[in-house]
Amino acid sequence: MSWDPLSPEQRELRDLVRTVARERIAPRAAEIDASHAFPWDVVEVFREAGIFGLLFDEEDGGTGTGALLALVAIEEIARVCASSSLILAVQELGSLGLKLAGSPQQRAAWLPRLASGEVLAAYALTEAGSGSDSAAMRTTARADGDGFVLDGGKRFITNAGVAGLYTVFAKTDPEAGHRGISAFLVEAGAPGFEVARLEEKLGINGSTTGELVFDGVRVGPEALLGEEGEGFRLAMRILDRSRPGVAAQALGIAQGATDYALEYARTRETMGKPIAQHQLIAGKLADMETTTEAARGLLYRYGRMVDEGVPADELTKASAMAKLFCGDVAMQAAVEAVQILGGYGYVREYPVERFLRDAKITQIYEGTQEVQRLVIAREMLKESRTFLMEGVG
Ligand SMILES: Cc1cc2nc3c(=O)[nH]c(=O)nc-3n(C[C@H](O)[C@H](O)[C@H](O)COP(=O)(O)OP(=O)(O)OC[C@H]3O[C@@H](n4cnc5c(N)ncnc54)[C@H](O)[C@@H]3O)c2cc1C
């Protein structure tokens, strides 16, 4: 057996998720993509197998098996179906506000239901006019009695229409810039809250992406997540912790594409030998394997940092680097897999064109690749490091 970075206990759980992926998700993946329908049967599989629990601490109803294993679970599912892996990644994204800033009452009310998968979560930050520049949001939450009234809209929200609980960011003080933003828990079905439409997309077709409208949505004081005015900081802390989920999705896509291309190249013959033995194809496979393994190194390092208790403000750079690198590797591996399959790579009968369409979003959501580079460079400038060339040159 080749060297494995996971402990025996982690390996056991990874193998469980891998079996679920191979036996229950892989046979459905093409259909999920073609139907453009949210796969509730996959949610049921995750519930039955306790897979949602891998994202949560024991006291919140989860397995308490840590951040690394949660990422591994997303990766394993993404190796066969990126849409299904997003169900897990967004359960984490939509629960992180509660985990990081929820009161004991809010946590008790929601986290066990999220850990079992009874309720699905969503995270609503982006608006039509504010994506990368999220502080420019226009949705407002006006104080009203002891509660708030939300007005405005959100765009591109994953799990729109299927989530039971939305973490929504809105301006409680529109004059105060990013310091005037607060976070709220809004339940599906709240009067005045509706999903106005769902997007047609290039990939991740099994995931809903929708526009939310808030028209005088009244919420009580118990809906405020964290302190008033602390919402923007919370949104960024959540992204620090959730971006590696996208990286895990990307890593799974890269591995899935590499595995498929390898199997194909072993058996497809041209000019009297398997294409894997043509040096130009062998070189592609070697590059796909090497970059995927390097991406895994960055992502698992982040997972270990969390599990070893590295303080939150030291995770930002590691998180952005994992997302940046895994996303780019997924895109390259998917492009090369299509190339290795030739004409067969371009048609729906084979899964690699789906991997290619699904890979692209990992370079866009939860902060584009450009934004990750800005984050990484900003963190580099904050660091004091030993400079070995002092006074030289
Ligand atoms: C399928 C899908 C699912 C999504 N799910 C969610 C979700 O669940 N919740 C949520 O809140 N949002 C979600 N989003 C929104 C997503 O996070 C944003 O689309 C993304 O952050 C980019 O914002 P934008 O689309 O407004 O692009 P813009 O911010 O308009 O950016 C356009 C281009 O300019 C670049 N750019 C912008 N600013 C800079 C800069 N300062 N320096 C250099 N380049 C820059 C960007 O990198 C990009 O290439 C989702 C989007 C999609 C497509």
Side-chain angles (χ1 to χ4, degrees):
M1 200 196 72
S2 60
W3 181 82
D4 196 316
L6 302 187
S7 69
E9 192 213 2
Q10 288 171 327
R11 262 179 257 166
E12 212 172 286
L13 284 164
R14 178 191 60 197
D15 291 348
L16 182 140
V17 179
R18 189 172 285 177
T19 304
V20 167
R22 189 176 51 230
E23 292 179 1
R24 310 285 303 274
I25 316 291
R28 278 276 287 129
E31 206 174 35
I32 290 170
D33 176 55
S35 69
H36 292 218
F38 182 78
W40 282 107
D41 59 320
V42 168
V43 172
E44 202 46 51
V45 168
F46 289 163
R47 285 173 180 155
E48 275 170 24
I51 292 178
F52 285 112
L54 296 172
L55 311 170
F56 295 85
D57 287 339
E58 240 174 326
E59 63 265 29
D60 298 323
T63 55
T65 40
L68 174 57
L69 199 69
L71 296 171
V72 169
I74 297 170
E75 174 194 348
E76 290 295 324
I77 302 295
R79 284 174 71 174
V80 301
C81 179
S83 287
S84 297
S85 73
L86 191 55
I87 296 172
L88 297 178
V90 175
Q91 193 74 344
E92 171 73 353
L93 172 67
S95 302
L96 270 164
L98 276 159
K99 291 183 187 179
L100 297 173
S103 67
Q105 292 80 359
Q106 288 170 324
R107 295 173 66 99
W110 290 106
L111 287 177
R113 299 173 70 195
L114 293 161
S116 68
E118 177 200 333
V119 175
L120 298 182
Y123 172 90
L125 178 67
T126 304
E127 298 185 2
S130 60
S132 305
D133 184 12
S134 51
M137 70 176 62
R138 300 177 71 157
T139 297
T140 56
R142 176 173 46 82
D144 181 65
D146 59 354
F148 298 86
V149 175
L150 274 70
D151 282 289
K154 296 284 170 182
R155 186 95 197 255
F156 295 145
I157 304 309
T158 304
N159 275 359
V162 300
L165 183 69
Y166 295 74
T167 301
V168 179
F169 298 87
K171 289 206 161 153
T172 36
D173 182 354
E175 309 307 317
H178 71 271
R179 288 195 183 82
I181 295 171
S182 305
F184 297 90
L185 296 170
V186 179
E187 291 184 52
F193 171 34
E194 64 164 336
V195 176
R197 71 182 183 122
L198 298 180
E199 307 288 347
E200 280 294 323
K201 306 189 293 288
L202 175 69
I204 53 161
N205 287 324
S207 174
T208 64
T209 311
E211 186 178 337
L212 313 182
V213 173
F214 304 95
D215 184 8
V217 177
R218 194 172 296 275
V219 293
E222 72 288 349
L224 180 68
L225 194 52
E227 299 293 318
E228 210 176 311
E230 285 291 309
F232 186 74
R233 220 173 74 84
L234 179 61
M236 296 303 115
R237 282 173 66 208
I238 291 172
L239 290 175
D240 270 354
R241 294 292 298 270
S242 68
R243 278 173 180 150
V246 173
Q249 179 188 38
L251 178 62
I253 294 171
Q255 191 65 64
T258 304
D259 292 348
Y260 202 91
L262 176 66
E263 277 314 297
Y264 187 86
R266 259 190 228 283
T267 51
R268 173 74 175 176
E269 293 196 4
T270 68
M271 289 126 200
K273 55 183 176 184
I275 59 170
Q277 288 177 25
H278 295 305
Q279 287 183 358
L280 291 174
I281 298 295
K284 287 187 195 299
L285 289 168
D287 286 348
M288 290 159 80
E289 182 84 341
T290 305
T291 50
T292 300
E293 202 55 55
R296 180 170 292 112
L298 267 182
L299 181 65
Y300 285 18
R301 169 178 171 267
Y302 168 88
R304 284 213 196 87
M305 286 168 76
V306 176
D307 290 342
E308 287 174 17
V310 168
D313 58 352
E314 290 174 34
L315 295 171
T316 305
K317 192 174 85 173
S319 157
M321 289 197 304
K323 201 269 181 184
L324 174 64
F325 196 70
C326 290
D328 285 354
V329 166
M331 199 61 209
Q332 286 157 13
V335 166
E336 291 295 42
V338 169
Q339 194 66 19
I340 290 171
L341 266 74
Y344 297 93
Y346 199 69
V347 295
R348 290 279 151 99
E349 192 183 340
Y350 290 81
V352 291
E353 62 82 34
R354 169 166 56 83
F355 284 127
L356 174 56
R357 287 184 288 106
D358 289 345
K360 185 61 204 170
I361 191 61
T362 68
Q363 297 182 307
I364 296 173
Y365 56 18
E366 295 195 34
T368 62
Q369 301 301 70
E370 290 76 16
V371 166
Q372 304 312 316
R373 288 187 168 91
L374 295 178
V375 170
I376 294 163
R378 191 188 62 209
E379 293 300 310
M380 288 168 71
L381 290 168
K382 281 190 208 160
E383 288 168 2
S384 60
R385 14 174 132 180
T386 315
F387 181 52
L388 298 184
M389 300 289 279
E390 195 86 65
V392 176

